[in-house]
Amino acid sequence: MSFTLVGEDAQTRARAGVLKTPHGEVETPVFMPVATQGSVKALSQEDLESLGVKAILSNSYHLYLRPGTPTIKEAGGLHRFMDYKGMILTDSGGFQVLSQADLRKIDDDGVSFRSHIDGSSHRLTPEKVIEIQSELGSDCWTALDECPPYPSTEAQARQALERTMNWLDLSATAFLKKRAEGASALFFPILQGGFFPELRLRATEHMAKIPADGISLGGFSVGEPKNLTWDILGRTIEHLPREKPRYLMGVGTPEDLWDAVASGVDMMDCVWPTRVARNGQVMTRAGRYNIGGSACRRDFRPLEESCRCFVCARYTRAYLSHLHRSRELSFYRLISYHNLHLMFEIAREIRKSIVDGNFAQSRRAFFSGLSKERAAA
Amino acid sequence: MSFTLVGEDAQTRARAGVLKTPHGEVETPVFMPVATQGSVKALSQEDLESLGVKAILSNSYHLYLRPGTPTIKEAGGLHRFMDYKGMILTDSGGFQVLSQADLRKIDDDGVSFRSHIDGSSHRLTPEKVIEIQSELGSDCWTALDECPPYPSTEAQARQALERTMNWLDLSATAFLKKRAEGASALFFPILQGGFFPELRLRATEHMAKIPADGISLGGFSVGEPKNLTWDILGRTIEHLPREKPRYLMGVGTPEDLWDAVASGVDMMDCVWPTRVARNGQVMTRAGRYNIGGSACRRDFRPLEESCRCFVCARYTRAYLSHLHRSRELSFYRLISYHNLHLMFEIAREIRKSIVDGNFAQSRRAFFSGLSKERAAA
């Protein structure tokens, strides 16, 4: 088994574990920063190392289009191309292709689309997506899926699920062939079903027959209200096997981290901490604030007084506010670093609280530390 | 004396020295990266430290407008505002104000102008420029000057010089007052005179009466041909006192570094290495090349094979070319760092060759290593 549970919370579904991958062990719950194009935006691999990043998400669709899988294969795989030594999970690209409605055509066998970069024509099939991930040499592979938009009718969500399940059977066959040929990657197929409990149940029953090492929970974080996310997520996870890691795709914020883990999630990824950073949003334990606000201009405190990241150790809000208003490039890196530092600190706290048996109390303490004003910033 | 010569070349005017400043000793010849707005573009102060940067240039005009001198004063000065511990030389802003011809009006007592940021009205006088630098707490202060454009008639250049000399008398008085009040900064007034040897001679004669700790050589690098730069620079420097450091403003490239030092220059600054980096130009000992070129896409060598910077230690041209084409923000920092690393390596070599008594040979070896193809890139 590649996944070992080391602790489970008595009051919630929270669990702590260790995922063994071809590029190291990853302690869960884990938050994975996103390196869509082979770079966590504004950061370098030295930064990831000093942040203690052991797992990232990358995107097979983006890398297939640019620089192209032949280049990455020639480099010796994505790890060597980036010179990043930790675990890489690759998204299938289904979400990216399908979100560009005017550039693609979907049929029962796959998706035809035009490149958003140069307009060239491409086709992704379940087998092709496995092949791309094999060439990238990532550690955890997903499968081509159809992610229905929000809102969708039950009929739309059912059609997308049927297609996803058919594709998953083909993906599993392609994956097993690669494994038989010596591939050491783990298989993390994507479970869909929209926001319909019956469809999600059907998806879990189908997933039970798939040789999955972990289960990717897709179709969330597509614009639905948060209570719906947690409701459907909870109803889905209760039908999933205890022994397999669960990866919730595209979530989230520090609050989401606690809530997803309480629902039984082990792995998450999101562009959120670095995206809001580039917009000047500083994350703190009390919530977030905008460095562009006039209150920061002559505020000589660090971004967050309790923070121990290198940015908070030496730069003030006033200086970072100046870099932001002056559009200095260094700004993007410094705020992105601080925001990710907080995400990892929280993820470590969450794990420790599960192991120590006080997850629920720690979660309450975290939420009670949020300021209403800041959370609304 | 704040400046000590430790070596002089027998064949050229090249010299090696040490400049003692309120923020440390600076070994000359020195190349100073430019932190116009209090940040060397795309780099952090940690990067400056790992590059071994001991001196930077900042711009009093830009900082006066944003964030404003009161903010920097409240921070405890520009060093503390940036958290940078080395020497800071501040440009007077004359060049910046005067290059915005439609936003300013010059008269015998100073310059009135509108802010390029918000259109607000401001006035700089010689005394005001000293006051701003005092509030910034920089180590080496310049003086308000009028830099004539290239080309200018002799009459235009003479008028600008007359004004610059009048302003310099007022600046010197204001500086001496600050020194009497306890300021420890060094005074580096700017010498003008355009490209007219007679005017430059006149300027040096006037400068001899000024209590200058060092002499800033202004009015170069304004679009003139390089042979004219070195001709007029040489004719100017031969009339300057041996014991004072000479700072050539706004120059240059690695080639310029060797040539300026051969002309007797001790200090230089330029945005060039970081500006070309942001455009994808990689500096090497053979010249420069564009990382965006198709040859780099599948080239798995470092940016420069002999380079020992952290970028060359782990990233390939193929990866950096991918970051460039994908417009990833990390690109700007990585190439800027590499380019500055080469500038400092060359500056250290120049100094060592002067001390070791083989400057001329080292200079020839450097130029013979340039590839015609690359130099034209």
Side-chain angles (χ1 to χ4, degrees):
Chain A
M1 274 309 295
S2 55
F3 186 61
T4 313
L5 284 172
V6 299
E8 286 174 279
D9 181 48
Q11 298 171 54
T12 67
R13 290 210 191 89
R15 16 344 137 99
V18 178
L19 178 66
K20 209 179 279 182
T21 82
H23 284 85
E25 296 192 347
V26 177
E27 297 195 333
T28 64
V30 63
F31 175 79
M32 305 187 289
V34 182
T36 304
Q37 305 187 108
S39 167
V40 176
K41 289 202 187 303
L43 301 182
S44 71
Q45 275 64 287
E46 290 78 12
D47 293 331
L48 301 184
E49 287 161 7
S50 75
L51 283 166
V53 173
K54 304 280 191 234
I56 61 171
L57 181 82
S58 199
N59 192 288
S60 54
Y61 159 80
H62 279 279
L63 294 171
Y64 159 76
L65 289 180
R66 184 175 58 197
T69 35
T71 298
I72 293 180
K73 200 177 172 183
E74 198 180 336
L78 183 54
H79 293 86
R80 290 193 60 188
F81 183 62
M82 294 175 62
D83 196 17
Y84 163 75
K85 292 166 186 65
M87 177 273 250
I88 304 177
L89 188 152
T90 34
D91 195 356
S92 68
F95 183 81
Q96 282 68 29
V97 172
L98 292 163
S99 62
Q100 301 182 298
D102 51 333
L103 292 175
R104 53 84 179 164
K105 216 185 134 209
I106 189 165
D107 58 58
D108 285 346
D109 299 325
V111 191
S112 296
F113 64 99
R114 286 185 181 281
S115 161
H116 67 278
I117 299 166
D118 60 9
S120 55
S121 293
H122 299 269
R123 183 164 172 80
L124 289 183
T125 61
E127 294 84 358
K128 175 79 180 170
V129 166
I130 294 295
E131 183 60 36
I132 291 170
Q133 294 177 100
S134 168
E135 290 185 341
L136 295 176
S138 52
D139 301 286
C140 299
W141 299 353
T142 53
L144 187 64
D145 63 328
E146 181 177 348
C147 177
Y150 180 82
S152 290
T153 64
E154 186 160 358
Q156 288 171 322
R158 175 176 290 115
Q159 193 193 14
L161 176 60
E162 292 297 336
R163 210 167 246 162
T164 297
M165 293 190 301
N166 288 339
W167 289 353
L168 181 45
D169 292 334
L170 299 169
S171 302
T173 304
F175 170 76
L176 289 176
K177 196 162 163 246
K178 289 288 178 192
R179 181 166 276 180
E181 289 166 11
S184 56
L186 306 177
F187 191 37
F188 273 71
I190 302 170
L191 191 150
Q192 292 288 354
F195 296 94
F196 303 95
E198 212 181 305
L199 297 182
R200 289 279 174 182
L201 178 61
R202 170 124 189 244
T204 59
E205 287 165 358
H206 177 260
M207 188 63 79
K209 298 173 224 153
I210 300 294
D213 299 294
I215 292 154
S216 303
L217 293 151
F220 296 99
S221 207
V222 289
E224 78 281 7
K226 273 283 152 69
N227 59 352
L228 188 57
T229 313
W230 306 132
D231 177 34
I232 300 297
L233 183 70
R235 289 163 183 252
T236 306
I237 287 180
E238 67 182 344
H239 299 291
L240 292 179
R242 176 177 166 275
E243 72 276 9
K244 288 188 184 177
R246 302 137 183 181
Y247 158 43
L248 177 59
M249 308 178 83
V251 174
T253 64
E255 296 91 311
D256 290 343
L257 230 63
W258 286 99
D259 289 339
V261 169
S263 297
V265 165
D266 305 296
M267 302 158 68
M268 276 155 287
D269 79 281
C270 200
V271 296
W272 190 85
T274 47
R275 178 173 289 167
V276 301
R278 296 196 303 281
N279 291 326
Q281 298 275 326
V282 177
M283 288 168 54
T284 74
R285 290 183 172 274
R288 60 189 200 273
Y289 65 89
N290 199 313
I291 194 75
S294 59
C296 292
R297 294 194 182 190
R298 293 172 88 156
D299 186 336
F300 300 101
R301 289 175 297 169
L303 291 174
E304 180 164 28
E305 286 176 283
S306 60
C307 181
R308 285 167 302 177
C309 82
F310 88 89
V311 181
C312 287
R314 74 185 296 179
Y315 303 112
T316 62
R317 296 179 201 187
Y319 182 62
L320 293 161
S321 151
H322 169 65
L323 296 184
H324 176 252
R325 276 176 295 131
S326 304
R327 296 192 190 134
E328 286 288 347
L329 288 164
S330 51
F331 168 80
Y332 300 107
R333 173 169 171 255
L334 298 175
I335 308 288
S336 296
Y337 191 100
H338 166 81
N339 281 3
L340 280 183
H341 186 270
L342 181 60
M343 288 301 283
F344 292 116
E345 202 173 68
I346 291 171
R348 278 189 296 268
E349 273 172 32
I350 289 176
R351 187 173 200 275
K352 185 170 187 302
S353 74
I354 298 168
V355 173
D356 292 351
N358 54 25
F359 171 77
Q361 299 95 295
S362 299
R363 184 181 174 204
R364 275 194 302 274
F366 174 82
F367 278 93
S368 73
L370 290 175
S371 119
K372 273 181 189 158
E373 195 188 306
R374 284 251 172 125
Chain B
M1 275 309 294
S2 54
F3 186 61
T4 313
L5 283 172
V6 299
E8 285 174 279
D9 182 47
Q11 297 172 55
T12 68
R13 290 210 191 90
R15 358 58 79 94
V18 178
L19 178 67
K20 208 179 279 182
T21 83
H23 284 86
E25 296 192 347
V26 177
E27 297 194 333
T28 64
V30 63
F31 176 79
M32 304 187 288
V34 182
T36 305
Q37 305 188 105
S39 167
V40 176
K41 290 202 186 302
L43 301 182
S44 71
Q45 274 65 287
E46 290 79 10
D47 293 330
L48 301 185
E49 286 160 7
S50 75
L51 282 166
V53 173
K54 304 280 190 236
I56 61 172
L57 181 83
S58 199
N59 192 289
S60 55
Y61 159 80
H62 279 279
L63 294 171
Y64 159 76
L65 289 180
R66 184 174 58 197
T69 33
T71 299
I72 293 180
K73 199 177 173 185
E74 197 179 336
L78 183 55
H79 293 86
R80 291 192 62 187
F81 184 62
M82 295 176 62
D83 195 18
Y84 163 75
K85 292 166 186 67
M87 177 272 251
I88 304 177
L89 188 152
T90 35
D91 195 356
S92 68
F95 182 81
Q96 281 68 30
V97 172
L98 292 164
S99 61
Q100 300 181 300
D102 51 334
L103 291 175
R104 54 84 181 163
K105 214 184 135 212
I106 190 165
D107 57 57
D108 286 345
D109 298 326
V111 191
S112 296
F113 64 100
R114 288 185 181 281
S115 162
H116 67 279
I117 299 166
D118 61 10
S120 55
S121 293
H122 299 269
R123 182 162 173 83
L124 288 184
T125 61
E127 294 83 357
K128 176 79 179 171
V129 167
I130 294 294
E131 184 59 36
I132 291 170
Q133 294 178 101
S134 168
E135 290 185 341
L136 296 176
S138 52
D139 301 286
C140 299
W141 298 353
T142 53
L144 188 64
D145 62 330
E146 181 176 349
C147 177
Y150 180 83
S152 289
T153 64
E154 185 159 0
Q156 287 171 321
R158 175 175 290 117
Q159 193 192 13
L161 176 60
E162 291 297 336
R163 208 167 247 161
T164 297
M165 292 190 301
N166 287 339
W167 289 353
L168 181 45
D169 293 334
L170 298 170
S171 302
T173 304
F175 170 76
L176 288 176
K177 196 164 162 242
K178 289 288 177 192
R179 181 166 276 179
E181 288 165 12
S184 55
L186 305 176
F187 191 38
F188 273 71
I190 302 172
L191 191 151
Q192 293 287 354
F195 296 94
F196 302 95
E198 212 180 304
L199 297 182
R200 289 280 173 182
L201 178 60
R202 171 127 188 240
T204 59
E205 288 164 358
H206 178 259
M207 188 64 78
K209 297 172 227 152
I210 300 293
D213 298 293
I215 292 153
S216 303
L217 294 151
F220 295 98
S221 208
V222 289
E224 78 280 9
K226 273 282 150 73
N227 59 352
L228 188 57
T229 314
W230 306 131
D231 177 35
I232 300 297
L233 183 70
R235 289 164 183 250
T236 306
I237 287 181
E238 67 181 342
H239 299 291
L240 292 179
R242 176 177 166 274
E243 71 277 10
K244 289 188 183 178
R246 302 137 184 181
Y247 157 44
L248 177 59
M249 307 179 84
V251 173
T253 63
E255 296 91 311
D256 290 342
L257 230 62
W258 287 99
D259 288 340
V261 170
S263 298
V265 166
D266 304 296
M267 302 158 69
M268 276 156 286
D269 79 281
C270 200
V271 297
W272 190 85
T274 47
R275 177 174 288 167
V276 300
R278 296 197 303 283
N279 291 326
Q281 297 276 326
V282 177
M283 288 167 55
T284 74
R285 289 184 172 273
R288 59 191 201 273
Y289 65 90
N290 199 313
I291 193 74
S294 59
C296 292
R297 294 193 181 190
R298 294 172 87 155
D299 186 336
F300 300 100
R301 290 176 296 170
L303 291 175
E304 179 163 29
E305 286 177 282
S306 61
C307 180
R308 286 168 302 178
C309 83
F310 88 89
V311 181
C312 287
R314 74 185 297 180
Y315 303 112
T316 62
R317 295 180 201 186
Y319 181 62
L320 292 160
S321 150
H322 169 65
L323 296 184
H324 177 251
R325 277 176 295 129
S326 304
R327 295 189 191 139
E328 286 288 348
L329 288 164
S330 51
F331 168 80
Y332 300 107
R333 173 170 172 255
L334 297 175
I335 307 288
S336 296
Y337 191 98
H338 166 82
N339 281 2
L340 281 183
H341 186 272
L342 181 60
M343 288 302 283
F344 292 116
E345 202 173 67
I346 291 171
R348 277 191 297 268
E349 275 172 31
I350 290 176
R351 188 174 201 275
K352 185 171 187 303
S353 74
I354 298 168
V355 172
D356 292 351
N358 54 24
F359 171 78
Q361 299 95 296
S362 299
R363 183 183 175 204
R364 275 194 300 275
F366 174 82
F367 277 93
S368 73
L370 290 176
S371 120
K372 272 181 190 158
E373 195 187 307
R374 285 248 172 127

